[in-house]
Structure formats: C-alpha cells, structure tokens
C-alpha cells in the first residue's frame, strides 16, 4: 500500500482550511514522510535567548500545575539553556522508552502524523515562534512540541499509550472517523486535566507549553471541567484559537488507558448518526468540577 501523502494535495486542503492558506514552515526539503534535518547551526543567538525565556517562564509555572509524571521527566530534557538538538534528546529517549524524535517543517498530514506515532516516532517542528508570539501561537512550534510533549514520552506507560493512539488514528482514517479521534486527542493529549491529592493538575501538552492557559485551566471559573468519557469527548467540537471552553478530567492514567482500550468502531458508527456538541456544552446530569482555589 502506498501510504505517502501527495504534497500537492496536502497544501490544497490547507488552502481550503486556513485563512492565508499558508504554513510557516519550509516544506521544500522534506522527504515523503515529511522529515527534515534540523539545521541546528542556523538558529540565531536571539532565538536561543527567546527559547531560554520561554523555558524559564514555563519551568517556574509547572511545579504546582503540571501532573507528577511531567515534573519528574522535565529534567531528562536537558534543554533549559538553548534550543535542543533533537538527535541528542533522541539518544536519551530511545534508551528510556524506544521513542525517537523526528524533525518536521510544521504541521503535517494526519495520515503521516499517525504513522509516525504508530512507529514510535514523535514529529517535532523545527521553527521557533517570533518574540511577538511569546504568549500565544496558532501553529505549534518547537517549544510547544518539545516542552509540551517530550517529557511524557520518557514515561513507558504514556509512551505506549501514544503509540496506541497512532495505530488508532490509522484505523480511524480507514473508518472515515478521524474527526472523532482528533477530538479525543485534543481533549486528552493536548488539553487534559488530572486529579491529584493537591487539586487539579494539567497533563495536556497544549496547556503545559502555554504561559496563560496553564493557570486559566486550573483556576478560572469560566470553563467547564467534566469527568472523562471518551464517547462524549468524541462528540464535542473544539476551538483552536482561544483558551478551551471545556476541559475533561481524568482520575488517574488507568482511567484514560481503560477508556481508550476498547474497539472504537461501534462508537464511530453511533457518532456518525449524532449531532456534534458545541465546545461549551454541559449536558443534563453532568457534574461541573470546581476549579482549584
Ligand atoms: N481503541 C482505539 C480503537 O479501537 C484506539 C486507541 C487507543 C485510540 C489508544 C486512542 C488511544 O480505535
Ligand atoms: Fe501538540
């Protein structure tokens, strides 16, 4: 089976989806899996300085706000001082959990993304945001991909979970159900919260790499916080250009692994007959978990 994605098709879909129809990255040198070489020498001193500022701010915020597993693994990154060399992190990561990082120009097609995950390769964008985007970026950059996602890849159980997600993504594509799985990915891997003895904590990468949302998601009275229910999540729309209107909360990782273990095919069939729910929905009977004080 030829599973490579035609690049012309990919760019055409993007034009239809996004305003400018343009991505930030340089796609001219990537291979058929969208892998590039990270040209580390090309990063400027200003970019390394910006990385340090981003890292320092976030490292200060995580101790009271991130889940224990993330905090434990953060030191393994060894990336406080400069933009990391992905091949060096890969050496340590491969020893720990058998995962590799691959450099990519930016967003890549869904199929390619899930193929990488299914083969224990995590795609990391090579470009860094501009100084004016210190607080907020729309497309994921190297800081989000690396700081947000890589720590949990050092945990063997979470690392396995993400590989299962990759396989699940390929299956969802075959079943014409990718949008449902994408919602699950969004509300767990990217924006998930977890209960802890000291209140709510974040485990989602989109939160952990954000200076503002990491506090907002835990303490603001505005968003909804609902206990994990995979089928409910897969019915729920999401916004990519604002803080989330709803967060889904797990009791522990077991709950997440148990909820994602079953065959989703019958769930997809059901979902295809139902209306999607707006991101700010609270259904009758759902408990809105209070924020941290
Ligand atoms: N159980 C899912 C399926 O049958 C696959 C999956 C596993 C999805 C883990 C997410 C996380 O499609
Ligand atoms: Fe991400």
């Amino acid at each position: 089976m030829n599973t490579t994605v035609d690049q012309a098709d990919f760019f055409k879909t993007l034009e239809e989806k996004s305003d400018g129809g343009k991505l930030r990255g340089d796609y001219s040198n990537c291979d058929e899996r969208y892998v590039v070489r990270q040209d580390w020498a090309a990063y400027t001193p200003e970019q390394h300085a910006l990385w340090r500022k981003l890292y320092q701010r976030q490292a200060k915020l995580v101790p009271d706000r991130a889940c224990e597993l993330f905090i434990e693994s953060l030191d393994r990154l060894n990336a406080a001082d400069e933009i990391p060399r992905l091949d060096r992190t890969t050496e340590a990561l491969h020893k720990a959990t058998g995962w590799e990082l691959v450099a990519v120009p930016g967003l890549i097609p869904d199929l390619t993304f899930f193929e990488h995950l299914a083969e224990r390769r995590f795609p990391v964008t090579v470009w860094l945001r501009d100084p004016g985007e210190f607080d907020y970026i729309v497309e994921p950059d190297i800081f989000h991909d690396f700081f947000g996602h890589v720590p949990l890849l050092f945990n063997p159980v979470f690392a396995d979970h993400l590989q299962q997600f990759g396989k699940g993504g390929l299956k969802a594509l075959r079943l014409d159900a990718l949008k449902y799985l994408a919602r699950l990915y969004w509300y767990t891997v990217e924006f998930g919260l977890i209960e802890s003895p000291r209140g709510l904590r974040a485990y989602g990468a989109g939160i952990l790499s954000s200076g503002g949302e990491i506090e907002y998601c835990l303490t603001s009275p505005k968003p909804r916080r609902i206990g994990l229910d995979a089928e409910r999540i897969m019915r729920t729309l999401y916004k990519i250009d604002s803080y989330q209107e709803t967060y889904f909360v797990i009791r522990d990782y077991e709950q997440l692994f148990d909820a994602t273990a079953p065959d989703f095919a019958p769930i997809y069939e059901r979902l295809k007959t139902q209306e999607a729910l707006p991101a700010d929905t609270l259904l009758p009977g759902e408990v809105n978990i209070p924020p941290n004080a």
Side-chain angles (χ1 to χ4, degrees):
M1 186 172 80
N2 178 13
T3 55
T4 59
V5 176
D6 186 289
Q7 293 199 10
D9 280 355
F10 174 51
F11 290 113
K12 200 158 148 280
T13 352
L14 280 167
E15 269 167 43
E16 289 157 6
K17 264 203 238 166
S18 65
D19 297 342
K22 267 230 152 93
L23 286 176
R24 293 274 287 266
D26 174 8
Y27 290 77
S28 58
N29 287 314
C30 59
D31 71 10
E32 68 286 350
R33 295 293 183 94
Y34 285 79
V35 175
V36 293
R37 199 179 61 87
Q38 181 192 28
D39 186 2
W40 193 83
Y43 295 118
T44 64
E46 291 75 27
Q47 288 176 314
H48 288 297
L50 177 62
W51 172 276
R52 267 193 301 280
K53 268 175 70 183
L54 284 162
Y55 193 101
Q56 280 163 10
R57 167 174 69 178
Q58 235 34 42
K60 240 185 249 152
L61 288 167
V62 296
D64 299 319
R65 299 174 181 86
C67 66
E68 225 34 72
L69 282 188
F70 182 89
I71 297 169
E72 281 166 19
S73 299
L74 195 56
D75 288 344
R76 319 267 303 258
L77 293 187
N78 242 320
D81 298 331
E82 54 186 16
I83 299 173
R85 299 175 203 246
L86 301 182
D87 49 357
R88 291 203 183 156
T89 310
T90 287
E91 275 177 37
L93 185 60
H94 196 264
K95 274 185 211 133
T97 59
W99 274 72
E100 287 168 42
L101 305 180
V102 290
V104 292
L107 290 172
I108 60 175
D110 297 326
L111 170 63
T112 315
F113 179 74
F114 287 117
E115 276 178 347
H116 280 305
L117 295 190
E119 291 164 33
R120 291 174 98 83
R121 284 192 301 269
F122 195 80
V124 176
T125 299
V126 288
W127 57 266
L128 181 68
R129 67 192 68 188
D130 293 329
E133 298 164 305
F134 192 68
D135 288 317
Y136 194 77
I137 41 157
V138 178
E139 278 177 54
D141 71 340
I142 186 169
F143 187 74
H144 164 75
D145 285 344
F146 191 90
F147 188 95
H149 288 285
V150 178
L152 286 178
L153 286 175
F154 276 94
N155 177 267
V157 183
F158 204 86
D160 284 348
H161 173 67
L162 211 58
Q163 180 181 25
Q164 291 311 316
F165 231 119
K167 293 182 182 168
L170 298 176
K171 173 169 148 190
L173 271 167
R174 286 195 300 275
L175 298 173
D176 195 21
L178 190 65
K179 65 179 179 192
Y180 307 122
L181 197 73
R183 292 173 191 156
L184 188 63
Y185 189 86
W186 187 266
Y187 281 117
T188 61
V189 176
E190 295 288 354
F191 290 96
L193 300 184
I194 182 166
E195 283 170 13
S196 88
R198 276 152 292 140
L200 297 172
R201 297 285 182 111
Y203 72 91
I207 299 174
L208 293 165
S209 65
S210 160
E213 192 155 3
I214 194 169
E215 174 67 16
Y216 176 89
C217 71
L218 300 178
T219 58
S220 168
K222 243 180 98 190
R224 282 132 294 271
R225 297 174 185 80
I226 305 173
L228 180 86
D229 173 339
E231 186 162 346
R232 159 69 157 91
I233 292 179
M234 290 193 266
R235 271 183 80 188
T236 310
L237 302 169
Y238 58 85
K239 302 238 170 96
I240 64 161
D241 56 359
S242 62
Y243 291 167
Q244 298 305 301
E245 295 179 293
T246 298
Y247 300 94
F248 289 91
V249 183
I250 59 175
R251 282 188 306 276
D252 48 39
Y253 294 104
E254 281 311 308
Q255 188 194 11
L256 178 63
F257 305 147
D258 289 349
T260 48
D263 177 10
F264 284 176
I267 302 183
Y268 294 151
E269 285 317 302
R270 250 191 325 271
L271 289 166
K272 286 178 187 174
T273 66
Q274 291 174 331
E275 283 291 329
L277 301 170
D280 60 355
T281 304
L282 189 68
L283 293 172
E286 278 180 341
V287 175
N288 195 1
I289 300 168
N292 291 347

